[in-house]
Amino acid sequence: MMARSAWAVFCKELTDALRDRRTLLTVFLSSVAMGPLVLVLISTLVSDIEKRADARELTAVGLDKAPTLRNYLLRQTYTLQVAPPDYEKQLRDSKLADPVLVVPADFENDLARGETPVVEIITSSANQRAQSGVGRLSRLIDGFNREQGTLRLAVRGVAPSAMEAVEVDERDLANPATRAMQLTGMLPFFVLMAVLYGALNAALDTTAGERERGSLEPLLMNPAPRLALVIGKWGAVAAVGMLIAVLSSLSFLPGQWLLKSETLAAMFQYGLPEAAAFLALLLPLAGALSALLMAIAIRCKSFKEAQANATVVVLGVSLLPMMTLFNQDGEKPWHLWVPALAQSTLMARVLKGEPINAWDLAVPAIGSVLLAVVCLAFLARQFAKAAVR
């Protein structure tokens, strides 16, 4: 009887949730469209950076008075452009996409006398496009310095190798997936928030919403066991959250077709194994978050009050993954026992191409199950109290 009652409540609540146009719109925007949209935005950003790098353009002031430097830059196949008169204002307003090289009028005379002329690289740290070109411009000036130093040593009969006691060779240990993670590291956060917001509306409506509409008390008057009502309602909310988890994880598969950057497309490897790992992490969390939101909303008398109280859960889920940004010592064992933080940590591992064993998947699942059981027990107790009153 309990199973039949729970199934009847589940079907009724799921039908009500899917009938709500706001819920359907949330499912579509937060799961189906979010993955491709985020990938397109990231790809567009990377593609713009690559185009500016391939264009090999340099914006400068006063290069006409520094033919030696101008000749060097032209030999590096750079196209030289004169900066506009109000380049400082344009840099501050983020309207100029390149830093500006300012060459003093006495550059050539100082260089001929063996003195050190001072050039300026004008940028604004608030202008991300211009800031990204500062390193490239600095390396160009360093190359000019090395060339001039080599020529001066050669004139004096000194071998240029005498100035290099040590040769530095950098070796990057990060694999392509890890390097891509520097750009796609926000994807786990978007997936977590999509699951949370997808279950939020259904969880609040089936508890505080029904209480506000006055339909909860007639439901509790039925002879069905209270646990069956709780399981049926929770099952419907969890189904919505799990549906969003499935759609969000799978949306990155076709989303890769929209990548504009060939470099990012080559580094970002996301296939069916990665989608399956995402689902193994997100499905238990969807059930736990659904139970937690319902446990918070059941004590509220109105839908608006439940929304205000659920802000604590939204804030916690959004802030917990940020712990990895402030923790410079690497991943800790206890991270896998904290819901949301565990899923974010392991999804980042998946995107980096690092192996995940069965225990890594089991620990977050156990934590999610424990949280769901506690919240469902609290819900059953609250339903019993409401029935008594």
Side-chain angles (χ1 to χ4, degrees), residues 15 39 45 69 94-95 122-123 127 182 201-202 205 230 270 279 294 322 333-334 346 358 365:
T15 302
L39 287 178
L45 174 63
L69 179 58
S94 299
K95 295 181 178 179
I122 308 298
T123 184
N127 186 342
Q182 297 176 356
N201 187 71
D205 185 71
V230 170
Y270 187 91
L279 289 177
M294 292 177 65
M322 295 182 63
W334 60 268
L346 293 179

Side-chain angles (χ1 to χ4, degrees), residues 236-302:
V237 177
V240 175
M242 292 179 181
L243 174 62
I244 292 179
V246 171
L247 295 176
S248 298
S249 301
L250 296 180
S251 67
F252 294 115
L253 296 175
Q256 296 178 91
W257 304 338
L258 303 175
L259 292 177
K260 298 181 180 180
S261 170
E262 296 181 359
T263 303
L264 183 60
M267 293 191 300
F268 182 66
Q269 301 297 327
Y270 187 91
L272 289 177
E274 288 76 15
F278 269 43
L279 289 177
L281 294 168
L282 292 172
L283 293 181
L285 179 66
L289 290 177
S290 300
L292 179 60
L293 291 169
M294 292 177 65
I296 291 176
I298 193 61
R299 302 188 62 183
C300 303
K301 297 181 180 180
S302 65

Side-chain angles (χ1 to χ4, degrees), residues 14-15 33 64 66 91 110 118 120 188 191 193 219 227 241 266 274 290 302 304 314 319 337 343 353 365:
L14 185 60
T15 302
D64 54 335
L91 283 171
D110 291 344
V118 178
E120 289 184 297
V191 174
M193 299 308 294
L219 179 63
L227 184 58
E274 288 76 15
S290 300
S302 65
K304 187 175 181 180
V314 176
L319 290 181
W337 289 99
Q343 282 73 17

Side-chain angles (χ1 to χ4, degrees), residues 61 82-90:
V61 174
V82 179
D86 59 340
Y87 64 88
E88 293 188 2
K89 182 179 184 303
Q90 291 193 29

Side-chain angles (χ1 to χ4, degrees), residues 117-159:
V118 178
V119 298
E120 289 184 297
I121 299 178
I122 308 298
T123 184
S124 172
S125 58
N127 186 342
Q128 297 183 359
R129 294 189 300 168
Q131 190 68 14
S132 64
V134 172
R136 171 175 55 89
L137 188 52
S138 298
R139 289 190 294 270
L140 272 174
I141 301 302
D142 290 340
F144 176 77
N145 286 333
R146 289 192 299 269
E147 182 182 87
Q148 291 298 312
T150 300
L151 293 175
R152 292 178 182 181
L153 291 175
V155 170
R156 290 168 175 78
V158 180

